[in-house]
């Protein structure tokens, strides 16, 4: 099977690997494990110090692309140039903030010969943090209560409703548990500066944190569902260690989401299981999580399955995975030359 896909050229975003890592390197690792090292990987970066740029054994060449705020015309022009150089077969975006633009230009990319496997704008909007509570109420999901914050003064209303502790979340990324008004104000201003308004205040649910990585086929079915319990969490709420678990209720929850939305592509559900056994949906991220390689290690290679479906091949739903597979993230000093940094910074290519 590997030879069938050996000459593919796939562009990947999300090459950062800091304390809030992107999914790109884990996606690449999964693809290489399935399709072999002859697979050509093209990195798409936004910053000159995204570690994946310099990992030559994983990424064949990297091109900088415009920030999402620069709009679709700049992005399409840049991708047309990259395609001219590399003859891309497929593109897999891995950041929430870039998806709107990639979805918008997907038909034009298809005309150019670049395939994607993405949800539509309506699907993307349904699970947005701003609309999540409404989505849950309409479709029978447990979702914590929330308040949209447009001004710092809006925090007082949120405190009156939720008390402390509560969650303060950015529109795209980042979440903080806050215990005082001073902490809440600080979090609001930080998230507003990073991601804009609204900032979201969310009721704090106490319980066990569980994440679900899943892959929808766009027709109401999940091809893969793998659940993971967080064992170690960073200050930013990111899983730094976790273990695969099996629970029929988690599978049913993900399947209900796929049926409700007809989701197409990878997604992650962040769940809190409370003391009554209710599964609260804290967030639904519209792409693979940074821990996606754990699904591969457990027996369900979701990135590889996405590639096969994107290229028009039928993929049978995975039936099982191994519980008790543990991941522990670690830091590794990757050494590069300053000339590489200068090259990507000045010319936008490496």
């Amino acid at each position: 099977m590997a030879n069938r896909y050996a000459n593919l050229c796939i562009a990947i975003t999300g090459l950062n690997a800091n304390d809030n890592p992107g999914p790109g390197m884990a996606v690449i690792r999964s693809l290489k494990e399935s399709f072999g090292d002859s697979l050509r990987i093209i990195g798409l970066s936004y910053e000159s110090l995204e570690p994946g740029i310099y990992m030559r054994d994983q990424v064949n060449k990297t091109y900088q692309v415009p920030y999402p705020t620069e709009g679709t015309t700049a992005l399409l022009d840049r991708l047309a140039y990259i395609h001219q150089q590399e003859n891309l077969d497929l593109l897999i975006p891995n950041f929430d903030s870039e998806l709107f633009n990639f979805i918008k230009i997907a038909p034009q990319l298809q005309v150019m010969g670049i395939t994607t496997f993405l949800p539509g704008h309506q699907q993307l909007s349904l699970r947005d943090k701003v609309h999540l509570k409404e989505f849950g109420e309409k479709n029978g999901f447990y979702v914590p209560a929330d308040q949209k914050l447009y001004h710092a003064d809006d925090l007082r209303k949120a405190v009156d409703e939720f008390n402390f502790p509560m969650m303060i979340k950015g529109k795209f990324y980042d979440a903080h548990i806050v215990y005082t008004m001073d902490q809440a104000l600080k979090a609001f201003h930080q998230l507003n500066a990073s991601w804009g308004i609204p900032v979201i205040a969310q009721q704090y649910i106490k319980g066990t944190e569980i994440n679900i990585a899943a892959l929808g086929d766009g027709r109401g079915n999940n091809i893969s569902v793998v659940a993971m319990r967080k064992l170690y969490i960073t200050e930013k709420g990111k899983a730094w260690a976790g273990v695969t678990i099996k629970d029929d209720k988690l599978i049913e929850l993900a399947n209900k989401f796929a049926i409700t939305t007809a989701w197409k592509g990878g997604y992650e559900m962040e769940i809190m299981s409370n003391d009554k056994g209710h599964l609260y949906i804290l967030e639904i991220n519209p792409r693979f999580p940074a821990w996606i390689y754990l699904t591969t290690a457990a027996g369900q290679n979701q990135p590889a399955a996405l590639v096969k479906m994107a290229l028009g091949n039928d993929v049978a739903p995975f039936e099982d995975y191994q519980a008790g597979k543990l991941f522990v993230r670690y830091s590794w000093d990757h050494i590069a030359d300053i000339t590489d940094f200068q090259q990507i910074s000045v010319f936008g290519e490496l």
Side-chain angles (χ1 to χ4, degrees):
M1 182 61 72
N3 290 338
R4 184 178 174 187
Y5 300 95
N7 296 318
L8 283 177
C9 184
I10 301 178
I12 306 279
T13 70
L15 305 183
N16 64 317
N18 52 21
D19 59 340
N20 186 11
M25 299 313 300
V27 169
I28 292 168
R29 187 179 180 189
S30 296
L31 296 181
K32 283 183 171 290
E33 187 158 311
S34 180
F35 303 137
D37 288 333
S38 59
L39 182 70
R40 184 165 173 80
I41 296 293
I42 303 302
L44 304 178
S45 71
Y46 294 99
E47 302 281 353
S48 298
L49 284 175
E50 294 180 29
I53 297 171
Y54 307 97
M55 299 175 70
R56 302 294 186 84
D57 58 331
Q58 299 293 315
V59 181
N60 296 95
K61 186 168 182 178
T62 301
Y63 295 84
Q64 286 197 329
V65 291
Y67 286 106
T69 51
E70 295 184 40
T72 54
T73 301
L75 177 61
L76 194 60
D77 288 346
R78 182 59 169 164
L79 291 175
Y81 167 77
I82 296 168
H83 184 50
Q84 189 176 35
Q85 307 301 311
E86 303 293 344
N87 192 24
L88 303 175
D89 293 297
L90 179 68
L91 192 155
I92 305 177
N94 291 296
F95 285 135
D96 301 32
S97 56
E98 68 187 0
L99 280 177
F100 183 90
N101 287 348
F102 277 109
I103 292 168
K104 190 171 182 178
I105 66 172
Q108 292 154 287
L109 293 177
Q110 188 67 55
V111 171
M112 291 163 53
I114 306 172
T115 301
T116 58
F117 198 78
L118 298 169
H121 281 135
Q122 184 178 5
Q123 294 167 309
L124 189 68
S125 178
L126 282 174
R127 41 64 38 204
D128 191 287
K129 293 177 190 178
V130 177
H131 304 134
L132 186 59
K133 180 61 177 174
E134 179 186 346
F135 171 77
E137 289 175 347
K138 182 178 179 181
N139 296 288
F141 294 100
Y142 287 102
V143 176
D146 64 28
Q147 292 274 356
K148 283 76 176 175
L149 309 176
Y150 294 91
H151 306 280
D153 291 345
D154 294 338
L155 273 167
R156 303 205 176 276
K157 183 179 177 183
V159 172
D160 289 342
E161 182 175 352
F162 306 141
N163 295 316
F164 291 109
M166 68 177 173
M167 303 297 300
I168 305 293
K169 296 186 170 187
K171 183 165 61 172
F172 291 116
Y173 302 105
D174 296 343
H176 302 274
I177 303 176
V178 296
Y179 298 89
T180 66
M181 181 59 78
D182 285 344
Q183 290 177 351
L185 285 166
K186 181 181 179 182
F188 171 82
H189 289 301
Q190 284 180 344
L191 295 172
N192 182 22
S194 297
W195 307 113
I197 56 174
V199 175
I200 293 98
Q202 190 180 68
Q203 173 192 10
Y204 178 76
I205 304 295
K206 187 177 181 181
T208 302
E209 287 196 59
I210 299 166
N211 287 25
I212 300 170
L215 175 62
D217 68 358
R219 300 189 296 270
N221 308 299
N222 280 319
I223 298 300
S224 169
V225 180
V226 176
M228 176 270 290
R229 180 165 59 86
K230 292 182 178 181
L231 296 179
Y232 186 88
I233 302 168
T234 69
E235 287 185 0
K236 293 187 175 182
K238 301 301 174 183
W240 212 252
V243 61
T244 53
I245 60 173
K246 287 184 181 177
D247 186 332
D248 288 343
K249 290 200 302 181
L250 297 171
I251 306 294
E252 290 167 8
L253 181 68
N255 286 340
K256 182 179 178 183
F257 175 77
I259 291 168
T260 303
T261 62
W263 191 268
K264 183 179 180 182
Y267 64 96
E268 178 192 29
M269 304 182 79
E270 298 187 20
I271 307 297
M272 189 71 79
S273 177
N274 72 0
D275 55 3
K276 296 180 180 178
H278 296 320
L279 300 175
Y280 279 85
I281 300 175
L282 306 182
E283 292 183 21
I284 300 172
N285 299 314
R287 37 73 192 167
F288 289 131
W291 57 272
I292 193 65
Y293 183 75
L294 184 62
T295 71
T296 300
Q300 298 193 12
N301 191 328
Q302 293 185 10
L306 180 145
V307 168
K308 293 172 185 177
M309 289 195 295
L311 296 176
N313 298 308
D314 290 329
V315 176
F318 291 97
E319 295 181 355
D320 198 14
Y321 64 89
Q322 186 177 345
K325 277 289 183 183
L326 176 75
F327 89 90
V328 180
R329 194 163 282 145
Y330 63 95
S331 298
W332 180 271
D333 293 338
H334 186 78
I335 306 303
D337 197 282
I338 190 63
T339 56
D340 290 342
F341 172 74
Q342 292 168 340
Q343 174 81 16
I344 189 76
S345 299
V346 174
F347 298 105
E349 297 181 27
L350 182 63

